[in-house]
């Protein structure tokens, strides 16, 4: 009987802890980026990117229309091989690209009849900064842009359970709208776009 009381007390404590550990609206996501659009063109056809995102579900989509506030960091690497206009050849070297993007955005989420399926769409602000290393024209120079650039994203998320979900979305932003850099052809204007595949984890604390 004594052991039964201990067992019952343990179950009560475990149940209380489980209730306290329900997933909270704070989440973390890791994104594989592909189909980089203008970023791929900028890098001469070779580019790859990854991103990390922290978000907070301010209003759950179960209310009909919800809202997520998020911040994202994305890094893009590229290797541009450019041709000599007069000879139409590709010399050794080229341009190595490294681009950092910091994003702050707000998405609206929408409830659906399908359990776990949550479409979303929203607006964001993007801050770009990066460097290029040119084998011929300059050893290294930056192309930071301190002005915020507007963007949109739209996608769909599927929640496997309270903790894990996956999302795929399309992103489009403005960046450089004037040809201010002429040393390397094809740099401007450009409006980066990409598709992201994200795994998300909702924290429990």
């Amino acid at each position: 009987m004594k052991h039964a009381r201990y067992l019952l007390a343990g179950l009560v404590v475990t149940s209380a802890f489980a209730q306290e550990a329900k997933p909270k609206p704070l989440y973390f996501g890791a994104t594989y980026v592909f189909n980089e659009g203008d970023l791929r063109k900028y890098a001469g056809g070779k580019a790859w990117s990854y991103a990390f995102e922290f978000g907070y579900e301010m209003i759950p989509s179960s209310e009909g229309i919800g809202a997520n506030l998020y911040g994202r960091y994305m890094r893009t690497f590229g290797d541009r091989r450019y041709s000599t206009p007069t000879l139409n050849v590709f010399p050794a070297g080229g341009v190595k690209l490294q681009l950092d993007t910091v994003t702050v955005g707000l998405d609206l989420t929408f409830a659906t009849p399908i359990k776990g399926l949550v479409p979303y769409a929203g607006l964001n602000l993007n801050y770009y900064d990066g460097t290029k290393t040119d084998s011929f024209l300059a050893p290294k120079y930056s192309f930071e842009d301190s002005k915020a650039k507007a963007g949109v994203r739209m996608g769909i998320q599927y929640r496997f359970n309270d903790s894990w979900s996956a999302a795929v979305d399309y992103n489009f932003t403005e960046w450089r709208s004037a040809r201010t850099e002429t040393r390397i052809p094809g740099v401007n204007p450009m409006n980066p776009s990409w598709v992201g595949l994200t795994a998300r984890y909702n924290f429990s604390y």
Side-chain angles (χ1 to χ4, degrees), residues 81-96:
R81 302 284 176 166
Y82 59 92
S83 62
T84 303
T86 55
L87 301 178
N88 196 27
V89 297
F90 290 84
V95 178
K96 302 293 185 180

Side-chain angles (χ1 to χ4, degrees), residues 16-24 203-205:
F17 178 80
Q19 291 178 2
E20 288 297 323
K22 287 182 179 179
K24 300 300 189 292
F203 291 95
S204 299
Y205 53 90

Side-chain angles (χ1 to χ4, degrees), residues 1-152:
M1 190 69 177
K2 184 177 181 180
H3 293 292
R5 289 200 299 267
Y6 288 149
L7 179 59
L8 181 60
L11 290 175
V12 170
V13 171
T14 303
S15 176
F17 178 80
Q19 291 178 2
E20 288 297 323
K22 287 182 179 179
K24 300 300 189 292
L26 183 67
Y27 71 84
F28 171 78
T31 303
Y32 171 69
V33 179
F34 58 98
N35 194 29
E36 287 97 336
D38 267 5
L39 291 179
R40 188 174 65 251
K41 293 177 183 177
Y42 177 90
K46 296 180 180 180
W48 67 277
S49 309
Y50 64 86
F52 298 107
E53 177 179 321
F54 275 100
Y56 186 82
E57 187 179 43
M58 299 188 299
I59 305 173
S61 58
S62 58
E63 300 295 329
I65 298 180
N68 287 351
L69 180 67
Y70 68 93
R72 179 180 63 207
Y73 167 77
M74 186 173 81
R75 169 160 285 192
T76 299
F77 299 93
D79 183 4
R80 180 179 178 85
R81 302 284 176 166
Y82 59 92
S83 62
T84 303
T86 55
L87 301 178
N88 196 27
V89 297
F90 290 84
V95 178
K96 302 293 185 180
L97 162 72
Q98 179 176 302
L99 180 66
D100 297 313
T101 311
V102 176
T103 301
V104 177
L106 178 68
D107 285 338
L108 296 181
T109 59
F110 307 93
T112 67
I114 303 175
K115 183 179 179 181
L117 195 65
V118 183
Y120 57 92
L123 303 176
N124 51 56
L125 294 176
N126 302 271
Y127 298 86
Y128 288 97
D129 187 14
T131 58
K132 292 195 300 295
T133 301
D134 189 321
S135 302
F136 296 97
L137 303 178
K140 190 173 184 179
Y141 52 97
S142 63
F143 47 92
E144 69 276 356
D145 195 331
S146 60
K147 296 180 181 179
K149 305 298 181 179
V152 298

Side-chain angles (χ1 to χ4, degrees), residues 146-183:
S146 60
K147 296 180 181 179
K149 305 298 181 179
V152 298
R153 82 169 177 178
M154 56 191 71
I156 193 163
Q157 175 189 7
Y158 184 77
R159 293 173 175 167
F160 300 104
N161 51 46
D162 287 340
S163 299
W164 290 99
S165 63
V168 59
D169 50 46
Y170 172 76
N171 300 260
F172 178 86
T173 76
E174 61 177 354
W175 182 24
R176 303 173 72 86
S177 58
R179 187 173 290 277
T180 58
E181 185 178 58
T182 58
R183 286 183 287 179

